[in-house]
Amino acid sequence: MARALADAGASVVVADLQDDLGPKVAESLGNKSGFVHLDVTDDANWAAAVDQANGIMGGLDIVVNNAGIEITSLIVDLDPAAVRKQLEVNLLGTALGIKHAFRAMRPGGAASQQSGRSGGVVINVASVAATIAFPGISVYSATKSGVDRLTRVAAMESGKLGYGVRVNCIYPGLVPTAMGAGLANDVARLGLFGSPEEAVGAVIELTPSGRLGEVGDMADAVVFLASDAARFINGAGLPVDGGMGM
């Protein structure tokens, strides 16, 4: 997503816990990029990260809330600590991202003062799990449903208060990243499917496009929602799942 936004002409600051990898990713994006440390569950860390990003870029008008974790479990075996971790990263992290984006981008905010213009775009990454009942991911699904609701309420508040910030989300389908592969292995281990390959096959069977998603599919959707081509799209959820969640 960061690379696609940079390729589209945006200045990009990568924000993450991975202080070893983050700067390397930022450097690969070109001269108009940077890195800031961010624990998305920490309110003060968000404030500092947004302030630093604003300084690096001379303004801020796009925030993509993409941090997320998935801990597979049957409901009868839920671990409260694992539930809290998913709630904090997926739901609280997104809520804080919206909070600090609004504070920076609204009229009179730090970003609007820096750049001379107010408003912007927030894009939250939900999941097709928010729209379907897939076994083994009950808490993850619940948090991503929460991201959907946060998105819509935030869009309404922004409009009512005159912030000028559009807020949308995307629902990615299953992508064979480390998280996606881990899920396939986990649901097979729990006995929900005969093998990881069977789990992946079940997902593809539910997908009219007949394949898993690709990172580029999600990145292109984010670039679209961030662009002026989506200027009248607000408070919406965009499925990028090949039809799996329809």
Side-chain angles (χ1 to χ4, degrees):
M1 292 176 186
R3 183 163 289 108
L5 286 164
D7 289 345
S11 299
V12 178
V13 168
V14 177
D16 200 272
L17 283 172
Q18 301 180 75
D19 294 329
D20 54 342
L21 179 61
K24 296 176 183 177
V25 173
E27 185 178 352
S28 75
L29 301 179
N31 294 330
K32 297 190 297 179
S33 65
F35 171 77
V36 295
H37 177 87
L38 176 61
D39 175 354
V40 298
T41 68
D42 187 288
D43 190 43
N45 204 176
W46 259 110
V50 168
D51 184 63
Q52 292 171 46
N54 186 40
I56 291 170
M57 296 186 292
L60 179 68
D61 51 19
I62 302 168
V63 168
V64 180
N65 288 307
N66 187 42
I69 59 172
E70 187 276 315
I71 302 174
T72 310
S73 174
L74 299 176
I75 292 176
V76 296
D77 296 323
L78 284 179
D79 174 9
V83 172
R84 292 188 187 98
K85 187 172 184 179
Q86 290 177 91
L87 287 168
E88 287 195 353
V89 174
N90 300 353
L91 197 55
L92 175 61
T94 300
L96 292 177
I98 299 169
K99 169 186 174 177
H100 289 283
F102 278 4
R103 289 190 169 199
M105 296 177 185
R106 66 187 176 183
S112 61
Q113 292 181 23
Q114 183 83 5
S115 66
R117 60 183 184 276
S118 62
V121 183
V122 173
I123 302 163
N124 303 317
V125 179
S127 170
V128 68
T131 65
I132 64 172
F134 195 81
I137 55 172
S138 58
V139 175
Y140 179 77
S141 298
T143 63
K144 291 303 186 176
S145 295
V147 168
D148 173 272
R149 292 296 96 190
L150 272 173
T151 296
R152 296 167 194 271
V153 174
M156 182 60 75
E157 285 192 11
S158 174
K160 290 289 186 181
L161 296 171
Y163 291 170
V165 180
R166 293 189 293 110
V167 188
N168 295 296
C169 68
I170 65 169
Y171 310 119
L174 184 66
V175 180
T177 58
M179 181 185 288
L183 172 61
N185 289 325
D186 287 344
V187 293
R189 174 179 51 80
L190 293 174
L192 294 166
F193 295 92
S195 67
E197 292 75 20
E198 182 182 319
V200 171
V203 169
I204 294 174
E205 181 66 26
L206 290 171
T207 306
S209 291
R211 66 171 175 86
L212 297 179
E214 299 175 357
V215 171
D217 298 328
M218 314 310 151
D220 288 346
V222 166
V223 171
F224 166 67
L225 288 174
S227 75
D228 287 341
R231 60 191 173 275
F232 204 54
I233 299 176
N234 199 4
L238 176 63
V240 196
D241 61 6
M244 183 182 181
M246 67 178 180

